[in-house]
């Protein structure tokens, strides 16, 4: 039993009441006082002590009820006092305060998400509207080049919506994890080749960048380092593809001209586990920003600093990578590096 719990306090109240009554009875016997007076004094003393203890128990409950009612009406700024009490009421107050903190953070995140999504959708919609208005007003002809510009903006909208749907599925836990054993070298080699082809295709089309996981750099060299060469891992190949592709895309965008991006894979401590690293030679990320790298719509402060390719990305790629890693029960984070940025990913392997 906790020394300051409500049960202890109520037990102490009973013991004190018994002692008071017993003491008054002993006084009555020795002083030959009438029993009715002793009974009245005993009842009054017991009621006063009970009122004091009851007030100390009910006052916090009244405050909790008021705060809970405020939270139910959308006011997440109220907090319950007395979270430092060393009894069940203190625990309850702390729980309510933590719940209010979480709800306030979720509400703030929801408002930011709505604002950011509105901002991200507004840019391609405005560009698409401008193109179509020029065609309708006769300012420009509906030639193939104009239609390609409109098509690229439509594609960008589609990719942004698809990315947001991916995040929604991940948040709601409806994305199944289909883990299997696979060879790491051919798998990552295919991901790197796809990234190179995607960048080359974007340049050939000479369109506006999509900002949804496709870079427009062909001068950056992608290097794969897998050791041992026969390394295998156990993970969901599709989800891991999202992780690696988004990390490569982010690294390429922040690389200097003719820079180098390295994808390194090593065996983890557990069976079929995997340690991945993606390193670039860009400006790096300040340590004070490490905790914000994987937040949604966070583009970082060094975006476009080297490649001359500020593509207006949505800042959702790294958020998707984090959720995909979390889906595996793994870890992802920024690690110290003497040059550029180094992102570490650890997948747990066979559970």
């Amino acid at each position: 039993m906790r020394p300051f719990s409500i049960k202890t306090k109520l037990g102490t109240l009973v013991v004190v009441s018994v002692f008071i009554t017993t003491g008054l009875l002993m006084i009555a016997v020795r002083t030959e006082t009438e029993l009715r007076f002793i009974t009245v004094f005993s009842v009054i003393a017991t009621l006063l002590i009970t009122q004091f203890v009851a007030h100390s128990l009910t006052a916090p409950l009244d405050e909790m009820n008021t705060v809970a009612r405020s939270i139910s009406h959308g006011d997440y700024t109220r907090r319950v006092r007395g979270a430092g009490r060393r009894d069940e009421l203190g625990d309850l107050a702390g729980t309510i305060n933590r719940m209010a903190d979480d709800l306030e953070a979720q509400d703030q995140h929801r408002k930011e998400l709505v604002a950011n999504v509105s901002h991200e959708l507004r840019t391609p919609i405005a560009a698409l509207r401008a193109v179509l208005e020029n065609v309708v007003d006769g300012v420009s002809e509906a030639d193939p080049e104009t239609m390609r510009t409109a098509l690229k903006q439509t594609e960008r909208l589609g990719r942004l919506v698809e990315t947001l749907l991916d995040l929604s599925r991940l948040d709601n836990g409806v994305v199944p994890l289909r883990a299997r054993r696979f060879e790491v070298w051919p798998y990552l080699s295919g991901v790197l080749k796809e990234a190179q082809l995607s960048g080359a295709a974007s340049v050939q089309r000479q369109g506006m960048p999509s900002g949804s996981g496709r870079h427009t750099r062909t001068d950056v060299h992608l290097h794969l380092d897998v050791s041992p060469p026969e390394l295998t891992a156990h993970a969901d190949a599709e989800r891991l593809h999202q992780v690696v592709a988004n990390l490569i895309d982010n690294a390429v965008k922040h690389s200097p001209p003719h820079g180098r991006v390295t994808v390194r894979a090593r065996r983890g401590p557990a069976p079929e586990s995997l340690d991945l690293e993606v390193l670039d030679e860009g400006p790096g990320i300040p340590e004070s920003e490490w905790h914000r790298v994987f937040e949604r719509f966070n583009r970082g402060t060094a975006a476009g600093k080297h490649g001359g390719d500020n593509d207006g990305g949505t800042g959702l790629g790294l958020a998707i990578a984090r959720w995909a890693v979390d889906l595996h029960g793994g870890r992802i984070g920024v690690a110290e590096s003497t040059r550029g940025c180094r992102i570490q990913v650890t997948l747990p392997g066979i559970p």
Side-chain angles (χ1 to χ4, degrees):
M1 183 179 295
R2 297 167 60 177
F4 297 98
S5 67
I6 294 178
K7 291 181 179 180
T8 303
K9 293 178 180 179
L10 293 177
T12 304
L13 172 63
V14 173
V15 172
V16 170
S17 299
V18 171
F19 270 109
I20 291 176
T21 304
T22 304
L24 291 176
L25 287 174
M26 294 178 63
I27 294 174
V29 171
R30 293 185 179 181
T31 59
E32 297 182 356
T33 305
E34 292 187 14
L35 185 60
R36 57 181 180 176
F37 295 114
I38 296 300
T39 302
V40 171
F41 290 145
S42 176
V43 169
I44 293 175
T46 303
L47 287 176
L48 290 175
I49 297 174
T50 303
Q51 178 64 23
F52 174 78
V53 174
H55 178 74
S56 67
L57 298 178
T58 57
L61 292 176
D62 292 337
E63 184 182 6
M64 293 176 193
N65 186 37
T66 302
V67 172
R69 190 178 294 111
S70 299
I71 292 175
S72 68
H73 288 94
D75 182 8
Y76 306 120
T77 61
R78 298 286 298 274
R79 295 296 182 271
V80 180
R81 294 173 296 178
R85 293 172 56 121
R86 292 182 291 178
D87 57 11
E88 290 85 352
L89 292 177
D91 294 341
L92 181 58
T95 301
I96 292 177
N97 288 341
R98 286 191 296 271
M99 179 188 68
D101 291 338
D102 293 340
L103 290 174
E104 185 177 19
Q106 289 293 329
D107 184 64
Q108 181 65 25
H109 175 70
R110 178 183 59 81
K111 292 177 181 177
E112 292 177 355
L113 182 62
V114 171
N116 287 325
V117 169
S118 301
H119 174 75
E120 295 298 333
L121 291 175
R122 182 174 56 191
T123 302
I125 289 176
L128 181 60
R129 180 178 179 179
V131 171
L132 296 179
E133 284 181 345
N134 288 339
V135 172
V136 172
D137 296 338
V139 177
S140 60
E141 297 292 332
D143 53 26
E145 183 63 30
T146 301
M147 291 297 98
R148 273 196 295 268
T149 302
L151 177 61
K152 289 159 190 169
Q153 293 301 322
T154 305
E155 290 174 345
R156 183 182 180 186
L157 274 173
R159 280 188 287 265
L160 177 58
V161 171
E162 183 179 354
T163 301
L164 293 171
L165 287 175
D166 283 342
L167 283 174
S168 177
R169 295 189 191 103
L170 289 168
D171 283 345
N172 295 327
V174 298
V175 178
L177 188 67
R178 298 184 177 94
R180 61 177 178 83
R181 184 176 178 269
F182 62 92
E183 295 184 7
V184 176
W185 176 273
Y187 174 80
L188 291 180
S189 179
V191 177
L192 265 67
K193 184 177 181 180
E194 181 180 321
Q196 290 173 328
L197 293 176
S198 175
S202 297
V203 172
Q204 289 175 0
R205 292 177 62 179
Q206 296 180 351
M208 297 184 68
S210 68
S212 59
R214 295 186 180 181
H215 59 83
T216 56
R217 302 281 301 280
T218 58
D219 61 320
V220 179
H221 176 64
L222 302 181
H223 175 68
L224 179 59
D225 177 13
V226 179
S227 181
E230 66 277 7
L231 178 65
T232 60
H234 186 270
D236 187 317
E238 183 177 353
R239 298 297 152 226
L240 183 58
H241 184 283
Q242 287 181 301
V243 175
V244 179
N246 280 298
L247 292 181
I248 291 175
D249 177 68
N250 185 72
V252 169
K253 287 177 180 177
H254 294 85
S255 293
H258 308 288
R260 179 187 181 99
V261 172
T262 302
V263 179
R264 184 178 299 158
R266 297 290 185 268
R267 180 176 288 113
E272 301 295 337
S273 61
L274 182 65
D275 287 341
L276 277 175
E277 290 185 353
V278 178
L279 306 92
D280 62 53
E281 298 176 340
I285 302 173
E287 189 171 353
S288 59
E289 295 290 321
W290 284 7
H291 67 288
R292 300 186 63 248
V293 168
F294 300 98
E295 292 181 0
R296 300 176 186 185
F297 299 100
N298 176 51
R299 297 180 180 85
T301 57
K305 188 174 181 179
H306 282 280
D309 184 20
N310 190 3
D311 64 357
T314 62
L316 291 172
L318 292 182
I320 291 177
R322 182 193 65 181
W323 283 105
V325 172
D326 289 344
L327 194 65
H328 285 83
R331 300 189 306 274
I332 184 172
V334 184
E336 292 186 2
S337 178
T338 56
R339 182 182 183 185
C341 175
R342 180 162 65 109
I343 304 292
Q344 285 185 327
V345 176
T346 301
L347 300 181
I350 300 177

